[in-house]
Amino acid sequence: MLTKAPRGTRDVLPEEVYKWHFVEDMFRQICHRFGYGEMRTPAFEHTELFQRGVGETTDIVQKEMYTFEDRGGRSITLKPEGTAPVVRAFVEHKLYAEAQPSKYYYITPCFRYERPQSGRLRAFHQFGVEVFGSYGASTDAEVIAIAVHFFNRLGLKGLEVRVNSVGCPKCRSEYNRKLKEFLSDKLPDLCKTCNTRYETNPLRIIDCKEEKCRNVINDVPFMLDNLCGECKTHFEELKAYLEIMGIEYTVDPRIVRGLDYYTKTAFEIVSRDIGSQGTVCGGGRYEGLVEECGGPAMPGIGFGLGIERLILTLENQGIGVEKPVGTDIYVANVGERAGKTAFGLVYDLRKAGLGAECDHMNRSLKAQMKYSDKLGARFTMVLGEEEIQEGTARLKNMQSGVETPVKLEVEAIKAIIMQIKGSK
Ligand code: ATP
Ligand code: MG
């Protein structure tokens, strides 16, 4: 127990964390260009927020939440997703009073009690965006464009953007009646969960992954064919805006996002490379959620994007992320006095902005050079009595093998290193 992380969790070690930094930096940069500001919310919230904000009939609330009572007797839940906390913060800080739309992004850990498998963890991470205040379909298209642009910049191939409309409360209640009528004599052929869904949230039956349910729903009527005029126009506009940006998409009337408060646009971006857990990004519009969470009637739209699944897709497509070289210079030493000088010099070099390293293990010169090799240091320098007395040493470019005499001064050393680094 003591030396094993809990089931469904994984550590990210320095040898792979650079991939995380790379995708995080890229995501931040793109969000900033699209005019989104970062929102950081706590790792846990009052349980009620998710019950309301995700919805009582969803899988997340019914069986996946990490809920516990804290020492003060409050019911607390670890964030299973990123939207509800952002909505809560939006309402709490009265951000709805500012000029709209309000555009946010987040990078957050999420916790769901699920059966772990490839691409499905109990502690995982999401990128996400949320926009509040805009009813127009251009916003939906912009949100989809962020994800698409992000994937394109990463060089991902074979991703499919699937869009649908799940209507609004008005046309959905009409449609639910139709759907229930269609399913009424097929209930024995549906799974147990879908039998409950039949009463609470029939639309979700279309999304069921059970084989027996899939057979039944082959020829169900779709929401998309039963939209009211307003929802229909909105969907047509969404498609037109996607076309303006040259974003390819397919219309998939089977997309029914898991969350309760979705209205109109629902979309997924699916990778064909990571098997059954192929949905890398999912999102949609939620026109009732802000109000449901205690705010004014104001629409929102956003997506959540699984970082572990994203990195899996990158790996499966053989997309390499360059591992950054952290060590610009390794300063080796011969003798105790040189060891102290090297230690001081390395600190000064670090303060000057270079990645610098020296020996901490009392190694022989040969072993120090081997270690510096392992670090992949760009330059090495050996300090002995002679170098210290003369105030100069030889700086060796490890790639070209060229050695340059240099004064033992930070600026002189930095100048040579930056010349090479800058030309890269
Ligand atoms: P799934 O269909 O895989 O259950 P979901 O509909 O539950 O996904 P969302 O709640 O929309 O997923 O979350 C957005 C994204 O977060 C997903 O598209 C996926 O990339 C990622 N994700 C969701 N659950 C997990 C998990 N348990 N482990 C890793 N990533 C996950
Ligand atoms: Mg799920």
Side-chain angles (χ1 to χ4, degrees):
M1 285 285 268
L2 209 56
T3 54
K4 202 156 175 13
R7 198 164 126 78
T9 69
R10 63 185 289 277
D11 303 310
V12 182
L13 303 180
E15 65 195 42
E16 61 168 329
V17 81
Y18 66 92
K19 294 180 188 171
W20 286 71
H21 295 157
F22 179 74
V23 295
E24 283 164 15
D25 290 348
M26 178 83 82
F27 186 69
R28 281 212 162 84
Q29 187 197 69
I30 289 173
C31 285
H32 293 157
R33 283 191 191 164
F34 276 76
Y36 290 62
E38 184 173 358
M39 175 95 86
R40 299 189 189 189
T41 64
F44 58 81
E45 296 276 352
H46 293 296
T47 301
E48 195 194 348
L49 175 70
F50 298 114
Q51 284 168 340
R52 290 267 202 124
V54 180
E56 294 282 2
T57 70
T58 59
D59 286 352
I60 293 181
V61 171
Q62 285 189 350
K63 48 189 191 201
E64 296 173 1
M65 294 205 305
Y66 276 91
T67 298
F68 60 96
E69 196 172 285
D70 74 4
R71 287 171 194 272
R74 301 168 198 92
S75 182
I76 294 292
T77 294
L78 301 183
K79 228 189 240 192
E81 55 95 53
T83 301
V86 172
V87 171
R88 196 261 312 135
F90 179 74
V91 174
E92 179 167 347
H93 302 287
K94 300 190 171 53
L95 301 170
Y96 49 76
E98 294 178 3
Q100 302 302 323
S102 300
K103 312 207 283 189
Y104 307 104
Y105 75 92
Y106 58 81
I107 303 177
T108 186
C110 294
F111 308 89
R112 294 185 195 176
Y113 194 79
E114 300 200 72
R115 198 168 67 76
Q117 48 191 297
S118 169
R120 192 177 291 289
L121 292 147
R122 290 181 174 172
F124 63 101
H125 299 78
Q126 279 187 356
F127 291 133
V129 309
E130 311 292 346
V131 185
F132 300 106
S134 156
Y135 284 96
S138 59
T139 312
D140 309 44
E142 178 178 287
V143 163
I144 294 174
I146 293 178
V148 169
H149 182 55
F150 177 51
F151 291 138
N152 287 343
R153 286 279 306 274
L154 292 173
L156 285 170
K157 299 266 179 308
L159 289 174
E160 212 174 271
V161 180
R162 299 179 184 165
V163 297
N164 188 25
S165 174
V166 294
C168 63
K170 204 172 67 189
C171 48
R172 197 148 67 217
S173 67
E174 188 75 17
Y175 164 75
N176 277 347
R177 209 171 310 136
K178 229 185 212 182
L179 181 62
K180 282 172 89 166
E181 199 178 291
F182 173 88
L183 292 169
S184 60
D185 57 347
K186 303 179 179 67
L187 287 178
D189 301 327
L190 293 174
C191 73
K192 219 176 103 200
T193 319
C194 281
N195 269 277
T196 332
R197 285 176 181 148
Y198 183 80
E199 293 306 332
T200 55
N201 193 354
L203 192 62
R204 287 290 318 281
I205 297 176
I206 296 180
D207 195 32
C208 188
K209 306 283 188 295
E210 295 274 331
E211 181 81 31
K212 59 197 279 199
C213 300
R214 297 222 72 99
N215 292 334
V216 175
I217 56 189
N218 263 337
D219 30 36
V220 292
F222 288 124
M223 184 69 243
L224 194 60
D225 303 317
N226 290 277
L227 296 175
C228 63
E230 186 194 318
C231 289
K232 204 168 168 174
T233 308
H234 195 270
F235 191 60
E236 291 308 316
E237 289 200 336
L238 167 67
K239 292 192 288 183
Y241 281 116
L242 289 175
E243 276 151 32
I244 289 173
M245 292 183 286
I247 291 176
E248 283 178 30
Y249 62 87
T250 53
V251 174
D252 182 350
R254 288 176 185 276
I255 293 176
V256 178
R257 302 289 312 145
L259 315 186
D260 273 0
Y261 296 102
Y262 279 105
T263 49
K264 299 193 173 85
T265 309
F267 70 95
E268 290 185 350
I269 302 180
V270 181
S271 160
R272 299 189 205 98
D273 290 292
I274 54 172
S276 54
Q277 314 308 328
T279 310
V280 184
C281 174
R285 172 171 278 279
Y286 42 86
E287 290 181 346
L289 184 57
V290 177
E291 198 174 9
E292 186 67 32
C293 293
M298 190 180 249
I301 172 154
F303 67 68
L305 194 164
I307 306 183
E308 282 81 358
R309 276 188 213 177
L310 171 68
I311 290 176
L312 260 182
T313 312
L314 282 173
E315 286 166 355
N316 288 352
Q317 295 196 3
I319 296 174
V321 173
E322 202 178 328
K323 196 170 181 172
V325 177
T327 313
D328 294 314
I329 175 170
Y330 185 88
V331 184
N333 70 82
V334 184
E336 203 192 313
R337 185 157 86 115
K340 298 246 163 40
T341 308
F343 184 79
L345 178 63
V346 159
Y347 182 51
D348 291 340
L349 289 166
R350 288 170 175 166
K351 284 190 289 185
L354 294 174
E357 192 57 280
C358 62
D359 180 53
H360 286 269
M361 307 298 290
N362 246 324
R363 288 185 169 100
S364 70
L365 181 61
K366 198 172 151 205
Q368 288 181 57
M369 296 319 281
K370 208 170 142 194
Y371 184 72
S372 139
D373 236 28
K374 182 177 126 60
L375 295 177
R378 287 198 170 88
F379 288 83
T380 58
M381 169 186 276
V382 180
L383 289 189
E385 277 305 317
E386 203 181 307
E387 282 79 9
I388 292 172
Q389 256 162 36
E390 286 176 8
T392 61
R394 303 183 75 78
L395 188 63
K396 184 172 178 184
N397 180 330
M398 297 309 285
Q399 207 178 11
S400 64
V402 174
E403 291 192 24
T404 318
V406 62
K407 274 198 168 150
L408 282 183
E409 286 167 4
V410 171
E411 285 313 315
I413 297 169
K414 186 176 174 179
I416 298 177
I417 294 178
M418 290 316 285
Q419 222 174 17
I420 300 294
K421 258 182 98 169
S423 70
K424 283 213 165 207

